[in-house]
PDB file of all heavy atoms in Angstrom:
ATOM      1  N   SER A 164     -17.438  38.246  25.146  1.00  0.00           N
ATOM      2  CA  SER A 164     -16.837  38.661  24.072  1.00  0.00           C
ATOM      3  C   SER A 164     -15.586  37.676  23.686  1.00  0.00           C
ATOM      4  O   SER A 164     -14.966  37.388  24.632  1.00  0.00           O
ATOM      5  CB  SER A 164     -16.341  40.076  23.990  1.00  0.00           C
ATOM      6  OG  SER A 164     -15.501  40.409  25.179  1.00  0.00           O
ATOM      7  N   VAL A 165     -15.479  37.338  22.403  1.00  0.00           N
ATOM      8  CA  VAL A 165     -14.526  36.474  22.006  1.00  0.00           C
ATOM      9  C   VAL A 165     -13.758  36.947  20.784  1.00  0.00           C
ATOM     10  O   VAL A 165     -14.267  37.546  19.923  1.00  0.00           O
ATOM     11  CB  VAL A 165     -15.053  35.072  21.594  1.00  0.00           C
ATOM     12  CG1 VAL A 165     -13.999  34.122  20.922  1.00  0.00           C
ATOM     13  CG2 VAL A 165     -15.672  34.292  22.844  1.00  0.00           C
ATOM     14  N   LEU A 166     -12.455  36.887  20.810  1.00  0.00           N
ATOM     15  CA  LEU A 166     -11.480  37.212  19.732  1.00  0.00           C
ATOM     16  C   LEU A 166     -10.697  35.987  19.306  1.00  0.00           C
ATOM     17  O   LEU A 166     -10.208  35.337  20.188  1.00  0.00           O
ATOM     18  CB  LEU A 166     -10.624  38.417  20.152  1.00  0.00           C
ATOM     19  CG  LEU A 166      -9.656  38.936  19.106  1.00  0.00           C
ATOM     20  CD1 LEU A 166     -10.352  39.577  17.897  1.00  0.00           C
ATOM     21  CD2 LEU A 166      -8.638  39.737  19.717  1.00  0.00           C
ATOM     22  N   ILE A 167     -10.631  35.808  17.839  1.00  0.00           N
ATOM     23  CA  ILE A 167     -10.011  34.538  17.413  1.00  0.00           C
ATOM     24  C   ILE A 167      -8.888  34.957  16.418  1.00  0.00           C
ATOM     25  O   ILE A 167      -9.331  35.644  15.422  1.00  0.00           O
ATOM     26  CB  ILE A 167     -11.022  33.592  16.788  1.00  0.00           C
ATOM     27  CG1 ILE A 167     -12.132  33.124  17.788  1.00  0.00           C
ATOM     28  CG2 ILE A 167     -10.169  32.320  16.418  1.00  0.00           C
ATOM     29  CD1 ILE A 167     -13.280  32.475  17.090  1.00  0.00           C
ATOM     30  N   TYR A 168      -7.694  34.626  16.748  1.00  0.00           N
ATOM     31  CA  TYR A 168      -6.642  34.958  15.825  1.00  0.00           C
ATOM     32  C   TYR A 168      -6.536  33.590  14.952  1.00  0.00           C
ATOM     33  O   TYR A 168      -6.197  32.572  15.317  1.00  0.00           O
ATOM     34  CB  TYR A 168      -5.172  35.135  16.475  1.00  0.00           C
ATOM     35  CG  TYR A 168      -5.235  36.403  17.060  1.00  0.00           C
ATOM     36  CD1 TYR A 168      -5.609  36.688  18.279  1.00  0.00           C
ATOM     37  CD2 TYR A 168      -4.487  37.438  16.315  1.00  0.00           C
ATOM     38  CE1 TYR A 168      -5.356  38.004  18.833  1.00  0.00           C
ATOM     39  CE2 TYR A 168      -4.294  38.780  16.952  1.00  0.00           C
ATOM     40  CZ  TYR A 168      -4.862  39.097  18.162  1.00  0.00           C
ATOM     41  OH  TYR A 168      -4.610  40.219  18.666  1.00  0.00           O
ATOM     42  N   GLY A 169      -6.738  33.700  13.675  1.00  0.00           N
ATOM     43  CA  GLY A 169      -6.478  32.675  12.654  1.00  0.00           C
ATOM     44  C   GLY A 169      -7.862  31.855  12.429  1.00  0.00           C
ATOM     45  O   GLY A 169      -8.538  31.333  13.399  1.00  0.00           O
ATOM     46  N   LEU A 170      -8.250  31.800  11.152  1.00  0.00           N
ATOM     47  CA  LEU A 170      -9.685  31.184  10.843  1.00  0.00           C
ATOM     48  C   LEU A 170      -9.353  29.963   9.959  1.00  0.00           C
ATOM     49  O   LEU A 170     -10.026  29.786   8.948  1.00  0.00           O
ATOM     50  CB  LEU A 170     -10.492  32.193  10.251  1.00  0.00           C
ATOM     51  CG  LEU A 170     -10.949  33.306  11.218  1.00  0.00           C
ATOM     52  CD1 LEU A 170     -11.844  34.289  10.513  1.00  0.00           C
ATOM     53  CD2 LEU A 170     -11.660  32.759  12.565  1.00  0.00           C
ATOM     54  N   GLY A 171      -8.555  29.114  10.399  1.00  0.00           N
ATOM     55  CA  GLY A 171      -8.324  27.778   9.640  1.00  0.00           C
ATOM     56  C   GLY A 171      -9.345  26.832  10.257  1.00  0.00           C
ATOM     57  O   GLY A 171     -10.373  27.246  10.811  1.00  0.00           O
ATOM     58  N   GLY A 172      -8.996  25.537  10.125  1.00  0.00           N
ATOM     59  CA  GLY A 172      -9.981  24.661  10.684  1.00  0.00           C
ATOM     60  C   GLY A 172     -10.334  24.760  12.191  1.00  0.00           C
ATOM     61  O   GLY A 172     -11.332  24.633  12.634  1.00  0.00           O
ATOM     62  N   MET A 173      -9.339  25.078  12.875  1.00  0.00           N
ATOM     63  CA  MET A 173      -9.377  25.214  14.341  1.00  0.00           C
ATOM     64  C   MET A 173     -10.178  26.374  14.678  1.00  0.00           C
ATOM     65  O   MET A 173     -11.027  26.500  15.591  1.00  0.00           O
ATOM     66  CB  MET A 173      -7.946  25.267  15.012  1.00  0.00           C
ATOM     67  CG  MET A 173      -7.932  25.313  16.499  1.00  0.00           C
ATOM     68  SD  MET A 173      -8.629  23.699  17.256  1.00  0.00           S
ATOM     69  CE  MET A 173      -7.323  22.685  16.733  1.00  0.00           C
ATOM     70  N   GLY A 174      -9.701  27.566  14.103  1.00  0.00           N
ATOM     71  CA  GLY A 174     -10.409  28.757  14.357  1.00  0.00           C
ATOM     72  C   GLY A 174     -11.892  28.827  14.019  1.00  0.00           C
ATOM     73  O   GLY A 174     -12.571  29.366  14.854  1.00  0.00           O
ATOM     74  N   LEU A 175     -12.308  28.106  12.899  1.00  0.00           N
ATOM     75  CA  LEU A 175     -13.549  28.087  12.574  1.00  0.00           C
ATOM     76  C   LEU A 175     -14.441  27.180  13.547  1.00  0.00           C
ATOM     77  O   LEU A 175     -15.567  27.523  13.916  1.00  0.00           O
ATOM     78  CB  LEU A 175     -13.692  27.518  11.145  1.00  0.00           C
ATOM     79  CG  LEU A 175     -13.284  28.443  10.057  1.00  0.00           C
ATOM     80  CD1 LEU A 175     -13.318  27.708   8.583  1.00  0.00           C
ATOM     81  CD2 LEU A 175     -14.042  29.796   9.887  1.00  0.00           C
ATOM     82  N   SER A 176     -13.776  26.218  13.960  1.00  0.00           N
ATOM     83  CA  SER A 176     -14.405  25.280  15.073  1.00  0.00           C
ATOM     84  C   SER A 176     -14.693  26.011  16.303  1.00  0.00           C
ATOM     85  O   SER A 176     -15.701  25.842  16.997  1.00  0.00           O
ATOM     86  CB  SER A 176     -13.597  24.045  15.218  1.00  0.00           C
ATOM     87  OG  SER A 176     -13.452  23.305  13.977  1.00  0.00           O
ATOM     88  N   ILE A 177     -13.716  26.791  16.715  1.00  0.00           N
ATOM     89  CA  ILE A 177     -13.783  27.688  17.920  1.00  0.00           C
ATOM     90  C   ILE A 177     -14.991  28.657  17.692  1.00  0.00           C
ATOM     91  O   ILE A 177     -15.776  28.772  18.707  1.00  0.00           O
ATOM     92  CB  ILE A 177     -12.494  28.354  18.230  1.00  0.00           C
ATOM     93  CG1 ILE A 177     -11.411  27.298  18.688  1.00  0.00           C
ATOM     94  CG2 ILE A 177     -12.705  29.487  19.210  1.00  0.00           C
ATOM     95  CD1 ILE A 177     -10.020  27.905  18.783  1.00  0.00           C
ATOM     96  N   ALA A 178     -14.987  29.196  16.644  1.00  0.00           N
ATOM     97  CA  ALA A 178     -16.117  30.181  16.213  1.00  0.00           C
ATOM     98  C   ALA A 178     -17.400  29.632  16.351  1.00  0.00           C
ATOM     99  O   ALA A 178     -18.472  30.152  17.077  1.00  0.00           O
ATOM    100  CB  ALA A 178     -15.830  30.817  14.956  1.00  0.00           C
ATOM    101  N   TYR A 179     -17.635  28.309  15.741  1.00  0.00           N
ATOM    102  CA  TYR A 179     -18.860  27.639  15.750  1.00  0.00           C
ATOM    103  C   TYR A 179     -19.250  27.306  17.221  1.00  0.00           C
ATOM    104  O   TYR A 179     -20.427  27.589  17.585  1.00  0.00           O
ATOM    105  CB  TYR A 179     -18.770  26.421  14.876  1.00  0.00           C
ATOM    106  CG  TYR A 179     -20.158  25.782  14.611  1.00  0.00           C
ATOM    107  CD1 TYR A 179     -21.151  26.494  14.294  1.00  0.00           C
ATOM    108  CD2 TYR A 179     -20.240  24.502  14.775  1.00  0.00           C
ATOM    109  CE1 TYR A 179     -22.455  26.004  14.040  1.00  0.00           C
ATOM    110  CE2 TYR A 179     -21.556  23.826  14.619  1.00  0.00           C
ATOM    111  CZ  TYR A 179     -22.597  24.604  14.255  1.00  0.00           C
ATOM    112  OH  TYR A 179     -23.783  23.937  14.053  1.00  0.00           O
TER     113      TYR A 179
END
Side-chain angles (χ1 to χ4, degrees):
S164 55
V165 169
L166 177 66
I167 305 167
Y168 283 87
L170 296 179
M173 187 65 68
L175 293 176
S176 298
I177 289 171
Y179 189 48

